C-alpha cells in the first residue's frame, strides 16, 4: 500500500454499529469532514472499496454508497476503486476555513446600520408568559370555546378545499375578508368593502408594513404620550423619529401635535379607547385630526385594539367610518376578542393603498395560514363569534367590577382606580410618590403582571401608576393577585 | 318651536323599522353624519326626546340611547332634553372634511420613497392559483394526509396548553424548534442547537428579515443568475442592488462573484439544488464561498427549498453543516414537503444573529400561530412526517419519470429535458429559437402553468426554456397537460 492509501485507511473513522445513522452515512460524513478540515488533501488516492470494507469490517455496498455521495458532492473525483482521488476542493490553503482555528474577532459590526436600528429599538412586547393575573390586554383564555374551534378545524381539514392548502391570496381568504367587512361595518361603523380588508398575522404586521410604505427613515411620527410602548418600538425599528403628543380627557391633542411638528405626515392613535388612559378621542378632535391628514396628505393609523369591549352605550364608531378622504388606515385584531395565538388580525386600508400592502406582504410571508382563516370564517358565519363577543362583554364587565371592588379593599389607600366604560385594562394612579417600576418588579416576583404607567410615557413628564388587565383572571385569581399586589406595594413602601 | 329646533326635527332621518340595525343606532349614525357633514351646525339646540320620539314615532328610550351615544362621543353637549346643543366639533369651517366634495388630486406621491421601492419591486410571486399542472414547486396537495392533520389539530384544540393560546415565544414553539434541529441535523447535515432554530411564516419572511438586519439600502447582493425571481423581488423590495452571478454545472461561480463585486457582503444561494438549473454547488465552490464570507465578514443565505427531495444518493448536506464560522443563514420551509398553506418555515441562524431575528419578529407579527406549531410538532414526533417524506420521495420519483416519458413523446422534438436527481421541477430547453414567455402564456390559456426560463435571468444573456413542476399532477393530469403544452408550443410556432 502506498503512503497515501495508508493515510485514509489508517485514519480513525469511528463507525458506530448501533447508531440510528446508517454506516454509509457515518462514513460519508466523517470522510467529508476530513477533507473539509484539510486532514485529507487534494490528490490523495482513495483505496479500493474492497480494502476499505475489509479495514472497517463493513459491506462493500456501504463503502460504495458513501463514496458515491462524496463523488456527487465533488469531494472526490470519479468513483471509488477507479483511481479515485481527493478532489481539489479548496482554491488555496489560506482560504480554508479550518476547524479548531480560534474564531477571529469581527472587525465589522454584526448588523447593518438599518439592522442595528431594527434590532435595538426598545419597547418590543416582552417575550414572557402573559398567563399571569393582571397582564394588560390578555383575554379570558379559558373562556375561549377551544373544543368548538377544534371541531370547526377538523371539519375543514377533513374536506379541505384545495385552494386552502395551496398558496393563497396575499390579501387573505376572500370569505373572511367579506365577513370582516360586514363585522367592522356593523360594530365599528367602518365603511369599507371587502376589497379593502387585508388579513395579517397580528395588527403590528400591518402597522409595520404601513410605516415602511408611508415613511422614510428619520421621518417624524406623531405618537400618543402616554401611549403603547410596542408602537414606539415598531416606529423606532423602521427608523422613525417619535414625536410625543400629549393626551388629555379628549384624547390626542391635535393642536399640540401640529404645533410640535408641522412637517409630520403620520400619526398613530387609539381613538376608541386610548392606550393606556382610556380617553375617547372626542368628535371635535376627530374632525381636526382628519382635517390635518387631508390638508397635508398625511396618514392616520387607527389602532382599534379593544374597541368592541364597551360596557356602557354602544361601542364608539371608528375614525375610519367618518373619514371622507381615505387617510385612515384602520387596524384591529382577533387577539383580544378571541385568543392571541391565532395570530389573526386585519387592516382596512384606503383603496389606494391596498395594492401596496399586498405587494409588501408578497415579498415576505405572502399570506396567513389558509385553513385557520377558513375556520375563523366559519366561526363568524355560524354565529359563534357574535355569541362569544357578547359573553366576553358581560364576563369582562363583571370582572372589572370585581377588580375594582377588590382593589378598593386591598390597595385603595395607595391607588386611585376609576372604572372604565370600555376596554380590557384599568389605570391605577398612586396617591403618593411611588416608583411604579419597582412595584411592578416586586409584583412580578409574586406572580402578578402589571405594567408601570411611567413606561407608557415618551416625554419627560411621567405619571406613576399601574396599568392592570382585569379580563384574564377569574374571581379567585383576582382576589389572590390583589393580595400579592398589595404586598408588592408595601414592599416598595 | 324655534327655527333651530325645526332644523333637526324636519331633517329627513330615514329610520327603517325592518332593518337588523336597531332604531337607536340608525338615529345615532344619521345624526352624527349630519353633524360631520356640517348640515347641523355647532350651537343648534336639540329638541326634547319626547318631541323627537313623537316626530319619528319611536319610543323615548330609543331617542335617549341615540343621544347618549352622541353625547359620549362629543357630538352634542349634555344629555337630550337638557338644553342640549350640537357641539363645536370643528375648529374651523375651512378644516372641515365635507362629504361630497370632489376628492382633490394628491400633490404628494402616495407612498414614501422606501414604500415605492417596496411596492414596486418586481418579481413577487404571482397571486394566482397554482393548482394547475406543472406549476413549479407545488407539492402533491392531494397526497397530504389532511384528515390526519385535522385529527392532530382537534386533539390539540380539545386540551390546549394555555401557553399555546396566549402570546408565544417569538422564536417559536420550543418542542418544534427541537424537532427541527434534530431533523435538519439528520437529513441535511446541519449543525445547530434548537436555540438557533426560529420558526417563521414562510422562508421569505426569514430572508426578508435577514436582508433588513444585515444590509443597508443600495448595498449589493450576489444573486444566482439564472435564479429565483421571488428572491430578486425581495432583495429589491428592501432596496438592495442585485449583482448577477453566473451559474454553471458546479453552481454559483464564486470567483466571478468576487470579481464582479468585491465589496459585496451578502450572497443568496440554493446550493443543494440550484433554482432553476438544478446544479449542485460543488465542494470546491462551497469552500470558496465559505472562505469568502469568513474573509469579508459577509453572510450567505442558503435557501434549501427542496433539498430533501433527492432521488439518487443521499440528500446533499447543507452548506450550513460545513460552515465553521457562522456565516451561513440557513432557511427552509414546510411548504414543499407538506403544503404551502401551513405557512410554516424556519431559519437556522448563526448564534450571534438569533436575538436580532427575534427582535425583528417582535416588532411586526411576533410569532407564528401556536396550535399550528404544536400540530406540526406532533406530526413530526409521531413519525408521520418521516413517513410522508418517504412517500413523497417515491411518488415524485415516479412522477418525474412519467413526466419525462410523456414530454419526450409530446414535445421531445421541441425541448431537451434532462432528468434531475433531485427537486420538484425540470428544465426543458428549446432546441430552436422560441419565445418562451409566449409559450408560457399560451400554455396558461390552456390551463397549464410553466415558467419561462428566460424570466429567471437577471443579466442580458438569457436562455429560452420552460421550468416545469412535475410533483403536483397525477398521471392523468400530466398526460393531459402535456398535450396542452404541446399545443401551446405549436401555436407559438
Amino acid at each position: 500500500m502506498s503512503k497515501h492509501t495508508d493515510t485514509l485507511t489508517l485514519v480513525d473513522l469511528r463507525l458506530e454499529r448501533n447508531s440510528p445513522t446508517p454506516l454509509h452515512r457515518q462514513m460519508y460524513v466523517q470522510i467529508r469532514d476530513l477533507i473539509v478540515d484539510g486532514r485529507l488533501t487534494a490528490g490523495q488516492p482513495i483505496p479500493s472499496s474492497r480494502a476499505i470494507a475489509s479495514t472497517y469490517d463493513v459491506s462493500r455496498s456501504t463503502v460504495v454508497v458513501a463514496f458515491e455521495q462524496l463523488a456527487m458532492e465533488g469531494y472526490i473525483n470519479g468513483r471509488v476503486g477507479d483511481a479515485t482521488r481527493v478532489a481539489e476542493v479548496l482554491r488555496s490553503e489560506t482560504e480554508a476555513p479550518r476547524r479548531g482555528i480560534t474564531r477571529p474577532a469581527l472587525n465589522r459590526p454584526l448588523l447593518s446600520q438599518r439592522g442595528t436600528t431594527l434590532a435595538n429599538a426598545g419597547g418590543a412586547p416582552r417575550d414572557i408568559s402573559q398567563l399571569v393575573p393582571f397582564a394588560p390586554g390578555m383575554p379570558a383564555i379559558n373562556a375561549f370555546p377551544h373544543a368548538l374551534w377544534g371541531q370547526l378545524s377538523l371539519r375543514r381539514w377533513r374536506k379541505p378545499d384545495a385552494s386552502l392548502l395551496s398558496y393563497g391570496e396575499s390579501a387573505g381568504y376572500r370569505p373572511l375578508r367579506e365577513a370582516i367587512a360586514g363585522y367592522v361595518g356593523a360594530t365599528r361603523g367602518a365603511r369599507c368593502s371587502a376589497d379593502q380588508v387585508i388579513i395579517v398575522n397580528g395588527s403590528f404586521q400591518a402597522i409595520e408594513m404601513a410605516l415602511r410604505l408611508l415613511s422614510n427613515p428619520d421621518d417624524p411620527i406623531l405618537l400618543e404620550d402616554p401611549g403603547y410602548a410596542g408602537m414606539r418600538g415598531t416606529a423606532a425599528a423602521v427608523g422613525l423619529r417619535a414625536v410625543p403628543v400629549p393626551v388629555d380627557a379628549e384624547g390626542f391633542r391635535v393642536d399640540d401635535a401640529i404645533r410640535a411638528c408641522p412637517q409630520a405626515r403620520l400619526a398613530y392613535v387609539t381613538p376608541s379607547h386610548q392606550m393606556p388612559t382610556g380617553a375617547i378621542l372626542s368628535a371635535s378632535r376627530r374632525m381636526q385630526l382628519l382635517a390635518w391628514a387631508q390638508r397635508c396628505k398625511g396618514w392616520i393609523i387607527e389602532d382599534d385594539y379593544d374597541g368592541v369591549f364597551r360596557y356602557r352605550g354602544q361601542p364608539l364608531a371608528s375614525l375610519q367610518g367618518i373619514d371622507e378622504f381615505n387617510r385612515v388606515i384602520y387596524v384591529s385584531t382577533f387577539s383580544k376578542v378571541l385568543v392571541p395565538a391565532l395570530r389573526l388580525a386585519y387592516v382596512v386600508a384606503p383603496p389606494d393603498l391596498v395594492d401596496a400592502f399586498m405587494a409588501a406582504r408578497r415579498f415576505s410571508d405572502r399570506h396567513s395560514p389558509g385553513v385557520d382563516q377558513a375556520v375563523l370564517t366559519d366561526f363568524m358565519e355560524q354565529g359563534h363569534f357574535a355569541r362569544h363577543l357578547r359573553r366576553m362583554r358581560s364576563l369582562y364587565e363583571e370582572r372589572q367590577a370585581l377588580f375594582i371592588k377588590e382593589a378598593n379593599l386591598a390597595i385603595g389607600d395607595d391607588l386611585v382606580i376609576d372604572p372604565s366604560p370600555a376596554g380590557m385594562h384599568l389605570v391605577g394612579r398612586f396617591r403618593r410618590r411611588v416608583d411604579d417600576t419597582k412595584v411592578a418588579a416586586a409584583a412580578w416576583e409574586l406572580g402578578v403582571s402589571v405594567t408601570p404607567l411611567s413606561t407608557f410615557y415618551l416625554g419627560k413628564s411621567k405619571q406613576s401608576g399601574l396599568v392592570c388587565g382585569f379580563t384574564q383572571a377569574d374571581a379567585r385569581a383576582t382576589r389572590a393577585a390583589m393580595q400579592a399586589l398589595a404586598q408588592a406595594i408595601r414592599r416598595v413602601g
Side-chain angles (χ1 to χ4, degrees), chain A:
Chain A
M1 273 184 180
S2 79
K3 185 171 153 273
H4 271 135
T5 317
D6 286 351
T7 317
L8 185 62
T9 50
L10 291 178
V11 150
D12 192 21
L13 295 186
R14 270 163 302 175
L15 304 182
E16 290 175 30
R17 272 149 223 282
N18 298 323
S19 159
T21 308
L23 288 171
H24 62 79
R25 185 80 187 160
Q26 295 182 42
M27 185 170 271
Y28 153 77
V29 167
Q30 293 180 34
I31 295 175
R32 182 197 69 188
D33 287 355
L34 292 172
I35 297 172
V36 168
D37 292 353
R39 281 181 279 161
L40 289 177
T41 52
Q44 282 186 272
I46 307 286
S48 73
S49 55
R50 190 188 314 266
I52 299 174
S54 130
T55 304
Y56 289 102
D57 192 20
V58 294
S59 76
R60 261 188 75 187
S61 68
T62 295
V63 182
V64 169
V65 170
F67 280 80
E68 278 193 341
Q69 184 77 11
L70 289 165
M72 191 153 53
E73 296 190 21
Y75 290 101
I76 58 174
N77 296 319
R79 295 276 159 110
V80 64
D82 191 30
T84 314
R85 286 163 191 277
V86 172
E88 186 86 43
V89 294
L90 303 172
R91 191 65 34 167
S92 80
E93 269 305 291
T94 57
E95 282 192 7
R98 279 171 168 281
R99 250 165 249 257
I101 290 180
T102 312
R103 189 168 162 185
L106 296 182
N107 304 322
R108 302 176 64 225
L110 198 65
L111 305 180
S112 65
Q113 195 190 328
R114 150 165 82 182
T116 306
T117 303
L118 172 53
N120 296 343
R126 285 186 297 171
D127 218 17
I128 54 167
S129 170
Q130 299 191 25
L131 295 168
V132 172
F134 304 169
M138 267 302 287
I141 295 272
N142 293 335
F144 180 66
H146 53 83
L148 167 65
W149 188 275
Q151 285 296 346
L152 295 175
S153 202
L154 176 63
R155 225 170 283 165
R156 281 287 186 170
W157 278 113
R158 255 198 201 131
K159 295 185 178 180
D161 194 86
S163 68
L164 284 174
L165 299 185
S166 171
Y167 290 104
E169 285 181 47
S170 52
Y173 181 54
R174 183 77 200 185
L176 179 58
R177 297 166 69 197
E178 280 163 9
I180 289 172
Y183 160 69
V184 288
T187 64
R188 311 296 301 113
R191 285 193 268 195
C192 66
S193 76
D195 293 328
Q196 291 171 258
V197 176
I198 299 170
I199 312 299
V200 287
N201 305 336
S203 49
F204 270 79
Q205 183 175 44
I207 291 173
E208 204 248 17
M209 282 195 288
L211 297 184
R212 287 166 64 206
L213 287 169
L214 303 173
S215 74
N216 290 317
D218 300 321
D219 279 355
I221 180 167
L222 304 171
L223 297 183
E224 297 169 334
D225 190 34
Y228 176 50
M231 179 60 201
R232 291 208 298 277
T234 295
V238 299
L240 297 187
R241 182 164 56 82
V243 178
V245 176
V247 169
D248 63 18
E250 286 187 61
F252 187 86
R253 293 177 59 97
V254 183
D255 280 344
D256 287 357
I258 298 171
R259 211 167 15 244
C261 190
Q263 72 275 29
R265 296 291 176 270
L266 266 177
Y268 166 88
V269 288
T270 51
S272 303
H273 186 233
Q274 204 270 330
M275 183 71 191
T277 67
I280 293 161
L281 191 66
S282 71
S284 128
R285 296 269 175 87
R286 283 171 194 241
M287 292 300 133
Q288 264 186 290
L289 189 60
L290 292 170
W292 162 80
Q294 168 56 10
R295 208 169 47 236
C296 72
K297 304 287 174 286
W299 301 100
I300 302 163
I301 297 173
E302 174 177 24
D303 186 357
D304 192 16
Y305 61 105
D306 68 359
V308 286
F309 291 121
R310 185 91 212 155
Y311 313 111
R312 205 155 52 79
Q314 294 281 318
L316 299 191
S318 65
L319 195 56
Q320 197 275 352
I322 55 166
D323 167 26
E324 288 300 303
F325 294 100
N326 291 313
R327 309 308 304 180
V328 173
I329 295 152
Y330 173 93
V331 295
S332 190
T333 181
F334 291 99
S335 294
K336 309 299 178 191
V337 288
L338 300 175
V339 289
L342 293 174
R343 308 314 299 134
L344 285 169
Y346 52 96
V347 53
V348 178
D352 282 354
L353 292 185
V354 170
D355 284 348
F357 271 104
M358 285 168 59
R361 197 76 195 278
R362 273 186 215 117
F363 291 118
S364 66
D365 67 344
R366 296 183 68 157
H367 62 84
S368 298
V371 173
D372 294 352
Q373 294 187 68
V375 173
L376 176 54
T377 311
D378 296 341
F379 193 79
M380 293 179 86
E381 285 179 352
Q382 294 170 21
H384 306 299
F385 183 79
R387 196 171 312 125
H388 182 64
L389 199 52
R390 275 198 306 275
R391 283 182 55 224
M392 291 308 102
R393 270 199 201 118
S394 93
L395 179 67
Y396 293 171
E397 191 170 12
E398 261 172 45
R399 287 188 171 178
Q400 185 185 156
L402 179 79
F403 182 97
I404 289 178
K405 189 182 130 215
E406 296 295 329
N408 284 339
L409 287 172
I411 54 176
D413 291 344
D414 304 296
L415 285 160
V416 184
I417 301 181
D418 291 325
S420 172
M424 302 169 74
H425 70 268
L426 292 167
V427 180
R429 287 184 167 80
F430 284 102
R431 294 182 189 277
R432 60 207 156 78
R433 217 183 155 80
V434 174
D435 184 338
D436 55 3
T437 59
K438 283 190 184 157
V439 173
W444 178 254
E445 293 295 315
L446 299 169
V448 176
S449 175
V450 291
T451 310
L453 181 58
S454 61
T455 61
F456 286 83
Y457 286 85
L458 183 53
K460 273 171 202 155
S461 146
K462 298 179 198 302
Q463 291 190 31
S464 173
L466 300 177
V467 178
C468 309
F470 57 80
T471 47
Q472 181 184 191
D474 63 15
R476 220 168 76 170
T478 298
R479 277 186 207 108
M482 201 62 82
Q483 292 309 317
L485 185 54
Q487 199 185 327
I489 295 171
R490 278 195 303 275
R491 262 193 211 173
V492 173

